[in-house]
Amino acid sequence: MQELELLRQIRQPWVQRSPQTLARAVNIREDLRNQLEQFFDRMEVSLETGTYSWMDPILSAWAEALPQSESPEMSSSLVDFIGDLLLFTVRVCEETLKPEYSVAITSGLLPIFLYCFRRAFEMEMEIRIRAISEQLQQVQQTLEKLDQSKSDFIAVAAHELKTPLTLVDGYAAMLRDALSTRNLSPYEIDLLNGIHNGTRRLKTIIDDMIDVSLIDNNLLSLNFQPVWINRILHVLENELQGVIKERQQTLTIQDFPGSGEMTFGDPERLLQVFRNVLTNAIKYTPDGGSISVDGRKLPGFIEVIIKDTGIGIDPEDQLLIFDKFARLGKTDLHSSSKTKFKGGGPGLGLHIAKGIVEAHGGAIWVESPGFDEKTCPGSTFHILLPLMTQPPDEKMARLLAPLTHKPAKKPLLGSRQP
């Protein structure tokens, strides 16, 4: 007896009993009977034609309808449902047909069910991936809103703090001038110096907060001028001598190819970049350690390499340190000093450096074997900046044309013209 004829013999008991039997396996819907009849019809067509893709529409409808849950006791996955259908079909064949016929039809239907298992798994995975992607997108949107709120708070807080700070600084200067005619005691001098140092440190933090706000909102503007990298580095060498001496460290700045060539950039902002990175190196290098600055010239770029013998950075943190508020240091070391060993800070320096470097069209990254306060594996910061033959602004380019274009030499008298 042909398999198709055997399948038609079990149709009536299969269709009548399947809704009641399978209702416990799924959250049954009113149209389940119609869907099961469609499933049986498609089994007939698939068995007759040998093409199993006839099962796809009903499988797809079930995959979308069945609840997707990670909890085993609550889930009714399509794969489980197909398994229940297979067991039910085998049972109906055994109860309705002779044993040899039951084996024959079961063998004929098995490839169809194997196809259904595979497609059910694929469809469920697609649905789960789509659901997870939607959740991730919602989380991403929430994080973006939180980050924007943080940026807005920084901008507002910075401007709100700057006004009273200006008043405090002004009154302190007036008080110092008023008392300049008196012979102040060491205690009074310490009080005035404390006010001055505190306001200066607070001004630096507020300026950093404003810079972060400008970077996050793509409002950072650069004043392109002729710059020489070696001159910026030597200015910082002189600026940091006091700190280096206090920490008993060694700062070595090498002249390297390209460092003495004129390029274009914002000198104040580039000074800020190298100051932030060098200050960071000083902070996380123990007393007596060393910091070196070297580099190389690349096609169209100059790379500055700042290496320290500090405590290093874990690989998983080497991208995070460039996020704002990412590396706060030890809270018990927060003070007016930014260069104490592992001293705390607002965690904005490297984020600002990254924003300024990228605004110049460059890149900044760090390499480190890892974090270890005993062996001090150190860290190496790479700052890649484009070498520009002229500023990007056309007006500035015309103004600085004498610097960027060498005048042609005039021929000597009596010389023959080519």
Side-chain angles (χ1 to χ4, degrees):
M1 189 175 295
Q2 293 183 354
E3 295 175 349
L4 189 60
E5 183 180 346
L6 293 172
L7 180 62
R8 288 169 179 165
Q9 287 186 17
I10 69 168
R11 178 185 179 89
Q12 184 176 358
W14 194 98
V15 172
Q16 288 179 347
R17 292 166 51 189
S18 59
Q20 292 79 16
T21 304
L22 298 171
R24 291 187 293 272
V26 296
N27 294 330
I28 187 169
R29 299 184 339 181
E30 294 181 359
D31 58 348
L32 179 58
R33 180 183 295 276
N34 294 332
Q35 292 179 356
L36 289 171
E37 289 182 1
Q38 293 178 27
F39 183 86
F40 196 95
D41 292 339
R42 291 180 181 277
M43 279 200 304
E44 285 189 23
V45 176
S46 298
L47 186 63
E48 182 177 10
T49 62
T51 303
Y52 305 146
S53 58
W54 290 97
M55 309 302 300
D56 285 354
I58 189 65
L59 293 175
S60 178
W62 281 345
E64 295 287 347
L66 290 174
Q68 304 295 321
S69 172
E70 295 296 333
S71 176
E73 63 271 16
M74 294 180 61
S75 69
S76 298
S77 71
L78 182 56
V79 173
D80 294 338
F81 185 55
I82 297 300
D84 292 334
L85 271 175
L86 175 60
L87 294 176
F88 170 74
T89 302
V90 171
R91 187 164 58 250
V92 171
C93 290
E94 292 175 346
E95 295 173 355
T96 307
L97 304 173
K98 294 180 179 180
E100 60 272 20
Y101 293 154
S102 175
V103 172
I105 187 58
T106 302
S107 300
L109 293 177
L110 189 59
I112 299 176
F113 276 97
L114 290 177
Y115 175 85
C116 291
F117 276 121
R118 180 175 63 82
R119 292 294 293 136
F121 178 78
E122 292 173 353
M123 291 177 181
E124 284 194 322
M125 287 301 100
E126 291 176 1
I127 292 173
R128 290 180 184 273
I129 291 173
R130 186 168 68 242
I132 293 173
S133 298
E134 292 174 355
Q135 292 176 0
L136 289 175
Q137 187 175 4
Q138 293 176 357
V139 172
Q140 180 66 27
Q141 292 174 352
T142 303
L143 290 176
E144 289 176 356
K145 290 180 180 179
L146 289 174
D147 191 65
Q148 184 60 45
S149 299
K150 186 168 24 175
S151 298
D152 293 342
F153 171 77
I154 292 172
V156 173
H159 288 287
E160 290 294 330
L161 289 172
K162 198 161 189 177
T163 300
L165 176 63
T166 303
L167 292 175
V168 173
D169 196 27
Y171 285 130
M174 293 170 60
L175 181 61
R176 183 183 292 274
D177 292 340
L179 298 176
S180 60
T181 57
R182 292 178 45 190
N183 292 325
L184 299 178
S185 66
Y187 176 70
E188 292 172 326
I189 293 175
D190 288 342
L191 292 178
L192 290 174
N193 289 336
I195 296 175
H196 175 70
N197 293 334
T199 54
R200 183 181 60 184
R201 175 72 174 122
L202 186 55
K203 182 179 183 300
T204 301
I205 295 175
I206 292 174
D207 289 341
D208 285 349
M209 293 170 66
I210 293 175
D211 286 341
V212 167
S213 176
L214 293 174
I215 291 169
D216 289 350
N217 292 284
N218 297 317
L219 297 175
L220 183 67
S221 60
L222 301 177
N223 180 21
F224 282 90
Q225 299 178 30
V227 293
W228 292 261
I229 298 298
N230 61 351
R231 297 184 184 180
I232 293 177
L233 293 175
H234 287 303
V235 167
L236 283 173
E237 183 180 22
N238 294 329
E239 180 182 315
L240 297 173
Q241 276 303 317
V243 175
I244 293 294
K245 184 177 180 180
E246 179 185 349
R247 295 288 309 280
Q248 299 178 353
Q249 294 173 342
T250 303
L251 174 61
T252 305
I253 298 179
Q254 304 285 350
D255 285 328
F256 53 89
S259 64
E261 295 185 15
M262 186 188 74
T263 182
F264 286 89
D266 190 320
E268 291 296 327
R269 290 298 188 181
L270 290 177
L271 183 69
Q272 187 178 4
V273 169
F274 292 115
R275 180 188 291 118
N276 288 354
V277 177
L278 282 171
T279 302
N280 185 78
I282 293 171
K283 181 192 299 186
Y284 291 102
T285 299
D287 293 354
S290 62
I291 299 147
S292 63
V293 182
D294 205 342
R296 56 178 176 167
K297 183 179 179 181
L298 301 170
F301 290 90
I302 184 170
E303 181 181 5
V304 182
I305 302 170
I306 300 176
K307 188 173 183 179
D308 63 59
T309 59
I311 58 179
I313 307 169
D314 283 330
E316 59 269 21
D317 294 332
Q318 291 176 17
L319 291 177
L320 298 178
I321 62 172
F322 294 102
D323 294 338
K324 53 181 176 286
F325 309 117
R327 192 166 185 173
L328 301 178
K330 295 182 65 175
T331 55
D332 58 348
L333 291 176
H334 275 257
S335 66
S336 59
S337 174
K338 297 172 63 177
T339 53
K340 283 186 176 181
F341 181 49
K342 297 189 298 181
L348 302 177
L350 293 180
H351 178 73
I352 293 171
K354 180 175 182 289
I356 295 173
V357 169
E358 291 180 349
H360 278 83
I364 181 173
W365 68 95
V366 66
E367 296 175 335
S368 178
F371 173 83
D372 194 322
E373 293 191 26
K374 294 182 179 179
T375 61
C376 290
S379 303
T380 303
F381 282 82
H382 299 261
I383 302 171
L384 191 68
L385 294 169
L387 284 172
M388 299 184 183
T389 57
Q390 63 180 19
D393 182 72
E394 294 183 2
K395 293 182 179 179
M396 185 63 69
R398 289 195 298 268
L399 180 64
L400 299 175
L403 292 175
T404 57
H405 298 88
K406 295 182 179 179
K409 294 184 178 179
K410 295 181 179 180
L412 298 175
L413 292 177
S415 63
R416 298 179 61 183
Q417 298 293 328

